[in-house]
Amino acid sequence: MLENIRIKVEPITNKISLELSKFGITPIMLSGLAIIFAIISGFFYSNLVQFNINIVIQNQVLGAIFLLIAGLFDMLDGSLARVTKKTSSKGAFIDSTFDRVTEIIIYSGLLIGQYAESILIFFAITLSMLVSYSRTKAEAINVDLRGIGIAERSERILILCFFSFINEIRYAIIIIIILSSITFIQRFQKVLSTLNKN
């Protein structure tokens, strides 16, 4: 769903990426920064440590803020690769792998923080991985799934962040499970229908 919005804001992200390239910043650096901020996000979600600032801002809100920052860097790394013509199979592999690592880190933080029952978090991460895997596998057989499904990775991040801000993460997990299930089915059907036409 957000893929259409991403296309509209692409000129903006391209300009930002061009500016970043002037400082010698590479797509791999941005991917690395996305992982670092995801780790910080997962740490806050885990609730392992309480800080003085928690009187004003709770850990799950800090987790959401750093997750949004990680998502921004993740969006910019692909844009930077395109505008600097540094797209490659290696870069695509690293980006895709780092995206999965990021999700594992975040859900691990949610599990440790006990925001929802373990079984719910298990289903949320499993279905999220299935959604991502279906696209990766589809691309391997030349089927484009960009924009297919109501809960791609960007949507899942925004859902989690929104409900983090209102302190209702359990509802976010349940919604992610439902929407990820629907998205996986949509992608599965899309691949089968495309292959049947060929």
Side-chain angles (χ1 to χ4, degrees), residues 6-165:
R6 187 192 295 264
I7 293 172
K8 291 179 181 178
V9 301
E10 203 169 80
I12 299 173
T13 57
N14 287 347
K15 287 182 180 178
I16 296 173
S17 297
L18 279 172
E19 291 301 315
L20 291 174
S21 66
K22 294 176 182 178
F23 295 97
I25 295 174
T26 66
I28 299 297
M29 289 179 185
L30 293 181
S31 296
L33 285 172
I35 286 285
I36 290 170
F37 280 104
I39 292 171
I40 297 172
S41 173
F43 173 74
F44 280 117
Y45 275 126
S46 72
N47 281 324
L48 289 174
V49 179
Q50 296 293 321
F51 302 91
N52 291 332
I53 196 175
N54 291 146
I55 299 172
V56 181
I57 305 176
Q58 295 178 311
N59 271 350
Q60 76 269 7
V61 175
L62 291 169
I65 291 170
F66 282 102
L67 178 55
L68 287 172
I69 295 172
L72 175 63
F73 281 118
D74 180 55
M75 181 173 64
L76 287 174
D77 65 1
S79 175
L80 181 59
R82 287 190 297 273
V83 298
T84 58
K85 295 181 171 41
K86 291 182 179 178
T87 54
S88 64
S89 298
K90 177 184 175 182
F93 170 75
I94 291 174
D95 183 48
S96 179
T97 303
F98 278 18
D99 285 349
R100 305 294 80 74
V101 172
T102 296
E103 288 193 280
I104 291 170
I105 290 169
I106 298 304
Y107 282 110
S108 296
L110 295 172
L111 182 63
I112 296 168
Q114 299 181 336
Y115 292 96
E117 295 87 335
S118 299
I119 189 67
L120 290 179
I121 295 176
F122 168 78
F123 277 118
I125 190 169
T126 301
L127 288 163
S128 294
M129 291 296 175
L130 277 175
V131 169
S132 299
Y133 173 79
S134 62
R135 176 174 170 176
T136 301
K137 190 62 179 177
E139 287 175 348
I141 54 176
N142 297 318
V143 178
D144 188 4
L145 289 181
R146 282 179 298 178
I148 302 298
I150 58 175
E152 296 185 277
R153 184 168 176 269
S154 299
E155 284 86 350
R156 297 195 300 272
I157 288 175
L158 289 180
I159 289 169
L160 177 56
C161 289
F162 173 77
F163 282 93
S164 295
F165 286 127

